[in-house]
Amino acid sequence: MSTIMQKIKEIEDEMARTQKNKATAHHLGLLKAKLAKLRRDLLAPPTKGGGAAAGEGFDVTKSGDSRVGLVGFPSVGKSTLLNKLTGTFSEVASYEFTTLTCIPGVITYRGAKIQLLDLPGIIEGAKDGKGRGRQVISTARTCNCIIIVLDAIKPITHKRLIEKELEGFGIRYIIITHFFISSGRNTDGLMRYRLNKEPPNLTFRKKDKGGINLTSTVTATHLDLDTVKAICSEYRMHNADITLRYDATADDLIDVIEGSRIYMPCIYAVNKIDQITLEELEILDKLPHYCPISAHLEWNLDGLLDKIWEYLDLTRIYTKPKAMNPDYDDPVILSSKKRTVEDFCIRIHKDMLKQFKYALVWGSSAKHKPQRVGREHELEDEDVVQIVKKI
Ligand SMILES: Nc1nc2c(ncn2[C@@H]2O[C@H](COP(=O)(O)OP(=O)(O)O)[C@@H](O)[C@H]2O)c(=O)[nH]1
Ligand SMILES: [Mg+2]
């Protein structure tokens, strides 16, 4: 472990020493690729017997329809928030490192069961193997959404440090597009740092021969052929077609080659707003992805739940048994990415598909009331579905 960390340090030092310009771009790209590979080894060391637990997260059984992780420095109020939201007891104290294990709690919200994880305080240097950082991050990767809890007194420095930790381990964030369209906010206009990221829009196709080819539909200012070749050679890939559809960086290309990056929605819950002024609060309230709260005084916890719901982007499907009313109390919860009739059937019973003949659908995905559909039909939130079986 220490040798991996030493190597990481050496590369980081070398990157810091290297001036950024056209002539050094490919060298920096190569260093970034080396760094990405080392960080991957740190998270999931190549297993050669012994020390196997190194890359593992906390042993918490997944339950419910979705998993949300609370991440943040010690004493920002994660345990208080879990207690208030779920009624689950997680020790609260004004000194650091009280929560040494991961405490799960469950909220039922709009018919969905959402598992909330109180992860132990992340500390600076987690990505380099310090403290419980690696465990925290391994577990964070299993979540559907992350809430980074920040202290209202010093939100920005904490945010940057935590982001560095998470990104170092391959957790990136996605833009919640409908959120921005509906609120009409411009992400980059309001923030100095781009928080939520979309998966890179570039394709990387491996081939057997023909060398490295780079095409670009836009003017590429970060990546030139030399840089791309340097990065590819680090991954021992000598034949590939790469197409850029936006001005991608070396990091974006490495993300795509590594293929292990997770793009996860993320909410910044700024806690303890009872300790700041109204003027400060107004600034925080305008930042996209931010949700100001006071866990202790239970201020705006509804607002936070609403935002969690929006970011999880779940689809509720009400089942309607034949000749009966739909069951509106207990929806089947699907993710926005897997919400076909087939996904719905699998969730109800593993043998359901064998008996499946067609489905009747009422709701916004249906053209008629009801519409007769096959298994590939995409369902929408609050649809009502009746499965008709083969006799
Ligand atoms: N003023 C204020 N204090 C809070 C709030 N939420 C939590 N705290 C206090 O912050 C301290 C740390 O809280 P805790 O939940 O243990 O933080 P954790 O280490 O992130 O789990 C405790 O003394 C809490 O009572 C809040 O909204 N306002
Ligand atoms: Mg705690």
Side-chain angles (χ1 to χ4, degrees):
M1 183 61 63
S2 65
T3 57
I4 296 181
M5 277 158 62
Q6 258 160 22
K7 282 185 197 154
I8 288 179
K9 176 95 179 47
E10 282 164 19
I11 292 176
E12 281 178 344
D13 288 349
E14 189 178 342
M15 283 171 70
R17 276 197 310 270
T18 309
Q19 270 193 22
K20 254 192 194 170
N21 59 43
K22 269 257 170 297
T24 58
H26 71 280
H27 184 59
L28 279 170
L30 187 80
L31 293 176
K32 282 180 173 171
K34 281 191 199 295
L35 206 57
K37 283 168 66 185
L38 287 168
R39 292 221 170 103
R40 190 215 306 145
D41 289 348
L42 199 60
L43 183 61
T47 38
K48 280 193 202 114
E56 280 172 17
F58 295 98
D59 191 14
V60 183
T61 313
K62 258 201 175 180
S63 78
D65 301 302
S66 230
R67 186 178 242 197
V68 175
L70 300 174
V71 178
F73 278 94
S75 304
V76 292
K78 298 179 296 299
S79 301
T80 310
L81 184 59
L82 182 91
N83 296 351
K84 297 286 186 185
L85 287 177
T86 66
T88 304
F89 181 76
S90 180
E91 195 181 348
V92 174
S94 37
Y95 50 90
E96 301 195 346
F97 305 110
T98 41
T99 318
L100 291 176
T101 52
C102 172
I103 315 268
V106 174
I107 332 167
T108 304
Y109 193 68
R110 302 191 190 173
K113 288 189 183 59
I114 299 165
Q115 185 180 44
L116 210 61
L117 300 182
D118 177 12
L119 292 160
I122 198 169
I123 56 161
E124 212 176 330
K127 67 175 158 43
D128 306 325
K130 280 187 203 145
R132 276 157 203 276
R134 281 181 304 116
Q135 260 182 312
V136 172
I137 286 163
S138 299
T139 311
R141 283 172 67 101
T142 68
C143 295
N144 303 99
C145 174
I146 296 253
I147 300 180
I148 296 185
V149 186
L150 302 169
D151 189 322
I153 304 286
K154 45 194 165 188
I156 303 300
T157 33
H158 273 179
K159 182 178 90 50
R160 278 165 53 197
L161 290 170
I162 291 171
E163 258 174 14
K164 229 172 101 193
E165 301 293 318
L166 294 174
E167 291 222 2
F169 261 141
I171 297 179
R172 293 252 187 134
Y173 321 104
I174 60 167
I175 288 183
I176 312 295
T177 11
H178 69 264
F179 173 72
F180 289 106
I181 292 163
S182 62
S183 69
R185 281 180 184 159
N186 172 350
T187 48
D188 294 313
L190 279 167
M191 289 178 302
R192 278 195 301 140
Y193 302 94
R194 193 175 161 88
L195 319 173
N196 285 352
K197 256 193 167 224
E198 257 178 305
N201 191 1
L202 65 90
T203 44
F204 182 91
R205 219 155 24 97
K206 244 176 115 170
K207 296 185 304 182
D208 293 330
K209 50 179 191 283
I212 302 286
N213 296 300
L214 177 68
T215 40
S216 183
T217 59
V218 295
T219 318
T221 61
H222 304 294
L223 287 173
D224 55 23
L225 188 61
D226 276 351
T227 308
V228 170
K229 277 185 176 163
I231 292 170
C232 289
S233 73
E234 180 59 29
Y235 287 95
R236 294 195 178 80
M237 292 176 181
H238 304 293
N239 302 290
D241 288 336
I242 295 126
T243 310
L244 311 179
R245 286 187 202 80
Y246 74 115
D247 193 9
T249 64
D251 287 316
D252 296 336
L253 177 62
I254 291 166
D255 281 359
V256 170
I257 298 176
E258 284 266 331
S260 62
R261 294 297 188 259
I262 295 175
Y263 294 86
M264 198 180 287
C266 161
I267 298 169
Y268 298 96
V270 187
N271 189 33
K272 308 193 188 183
I273 54 168
D274 51 296
Q275 298 201 323
I276 58 171
T277 65
L278 203 58
E279 288 74 23
E280 287 171 312
L281 179 60
E282 271 166 10
I283 294 169
L284 287 175
D285 200 32
K286 286 204 182 73
L287 298 173
H289 313 296
Y290 273 62
C291 187
I293 56 166
S294 168
H296 185 64
L297 299 175
E298 301 186 31
W299 289 355
N300 200 28
L301 297 189
D302 287 347
L304 180 60
L305 283 170
D306 265 358
K307 215 176 184 79
I308 293 173
W309 180 262
E310 183 182 1
Y311 279 41
L312 285 176
D313 200 13
L314 298 173
T315 305
R316 289 162 289 179
I317 306 299
Y318 305 115
T319 45
K320 181 182 155 23
K322 207 175 161 196
M324 280 165 70
N325 285 329
D327 179 358
Y328 288 116
D329 294 329
D330 196 14
V332 171
I333 307 290
L334 302 176
S335 79
S336 59
K337 288 190 199 76
K338 297 190 86 175
R339 53 185 166 96
T340 60
V341 168
E342 180 168 330
D343 297 321
F344 171 77
C345 289
I346 293 166
R347 279 294 301 277
I348 293 179
H349 194 276
K350 64 179 182 352
D351 292 331
M352 189 71 148
L353 276 177
K354 286 188 204 135
Q355 301 161 291
F356 180 85
K357 195 169 164 199
Y358 61 89
L360 295 173
V361 179
W362 293 258
S364 52
S365 81
K367 288 195 198 86
H368 328 284
K369 287 178 189 171
Q371 186 187 352
R372 187 178 154 153
V373 301
R375 59 175 71 186
E376 62 295 323
H377 177 81
E378 290 235 335
L379 296 164
E380 278 167 26
D381 192 28
E382 304 224 76
D383 279 355
V384 171
V385 176
Q386 182 182 328
I387 303 293
V388 177
K389 296 178 189 173
K390 293 176 197 155
I391 316 158

